[in-house]
Amino acid sequence: MPEHPSGVRTDAKPHRSLFERLTALISPEPENRAELLDVLHDAHERKLIDADALSMIEGVFQVSDLCARDIMIPRSQMDVIDISKPIEEWMPEVLSTAHSRFPAIEGERDKVVGILLAKDLLRYYAEESFDVRAMLRPPIFIPESKRLNVLLRDFRANHNHMAIVVDEYSGVSGLITIEDVLEQIVGDIEDEYDSDETEDNIMSLREGQFGPRWRVKALTEIAQFNDELGARLADDDVDTIGGLVSKHLGRMAHKGDILDLGNLRFEVLRADARRVHVLLVERLPDVPELDL
């Protein structure tokens, strides 16, 4: 064993008091993620950490659980430019959407040939000759199954802000940005893909095991939800879908919670210590709808 010149062993562990040893015996360290989260929630209840800190820690855990398909902007919701058409045809959409980046396609959405930065279009007004193809940045393609923690690391290492998500047949499923990933940790960020329009509250997804599926923002009003999905949910005490789910659960909803209301199944995709953010809704077969 290594010794100090004075003859004292240098690898000796610091002496712990009897109180510290008894405390460790009564309250052992957490052995898994669930126990760690319980400790953090207890710390929040005792006001040792605030709700913002707790929600960000929970967000870090969620990033390692989620993959690209869970939070991507679906193909049908993507704003793209078609470089096979004259610039004059798609320039109005660039101006109206005001995004900073656009996937550039050539004729069809499965043929993404590059990413166009909106700032590069300034040259279109400054130069007599402008080649949009020369302005394109190489697109980054990722599978739907790519974990968000790995994707975030790749974004940072390669200085990319956008990736195109593809399915197992190499068809375009959607797109994802670095802001989408960061929102899982720090909460909603007002970026170029956010919109105040109510149609963004409900996004249709690929059909699931039982039937049609939607990704629904928890702040979606029940009335809008009923109109778009043909449901008959009702509650005089709450106004939003997230509030309705939490009320039926009888507690604050957590990621992974599943609740069946009539012929609709609700799964909490994202939530933190303060509120629910995103739900996955799937229509179940052969179950009569109820007035709830």
Side-chain angles (χ1 to χ4, degrees), residues 98-123:
H99 298 332
S100 62
R101 294 171 180 81
F102 292 85
I105 65 171
E106 193 167 25
E108 55 187 62
R109 285 179 177 260
D110 281 329
K111 193 175 182 181
V112 177
V113 295
I115 304 296
L116 178 66
L117 273 59
K119 65 179 182 180
D120 289 338
L121 289 174
L122 293 174
R123 300 182 184 181

Side-chain angles (χ1 to χ4, degrees), residues 259-271:
L259 173 71
D260 290 347
L261 295 177
N263 69 335
L264 295 175
R265 171 162 294 172
F266 295 82
E267 179 181 351
V268 180
L269 289 183
R270 185 159 64 93

Side-chain angles (χ1 to χ4, degrees), residues 79 92-100 102 192:
D79 291 320
E93 183 176 358
V94 170
L95 296 174
S96 64
T97 55
H99 298 332
S100 62
F102 292 85
E192 68 263 40

Side-chain angles (χ1 to χ4, degrees), residues 222 225-226 231-235 241 244 261 264 266 290 292:
I222 295 175
F225 182 90
N226 287 340
R232 291 182 289 164
L233 302 178
D235 196 295
I241 290 298
L244 183 67
L261 295 177
L264 295 175
F266 295 82
L290 303 175
L292 299 167

Side-chain angles (χ1 to χ4, degrees), residues 4 20 50 57 63 139 148 164 168 171 187 199 204 210 227 232 236 244 250 270 279:
H4 191 270
E20 290 174 328
D50 61 23
I57 295 171
V63 162
L148 296 189
I164 305 300
E168 58 185 314
E199 57 263 28
S204 179
F210 300 108
D227 287 343
R232 291 182 289 164
D236 295 333
L244 183 67
R270 185 159 64 93
L279 297 156

Side-chain angles (χ1 to χ4, degrees), residues 26-45:
I26 298 172
S27 302
E29 295 181 357
E31 297 182 353
N32 54 51
R33 181 184 299 184
E35 291 183 4
L36 177 57
L37 286 173
D38 287 340
V39 171
L40 292 171
H41 278 275
D42 180 65
H44 172 248
E45 292 175 1

Side-chain angles (χ1 to χ4, degrees), residues 198-216:
T198 56
E199 57 263 28
D200 291 332
N201 288 338
I202 302 174
M203 292 185 179
S204 179
L205 302 176
R206 184 178 303 172
E207 189 164 313
Q209 178 183 359
F210 300 108
R213 299 189 307 161
W214 301 266
R215 189 165 78 243
V216 180

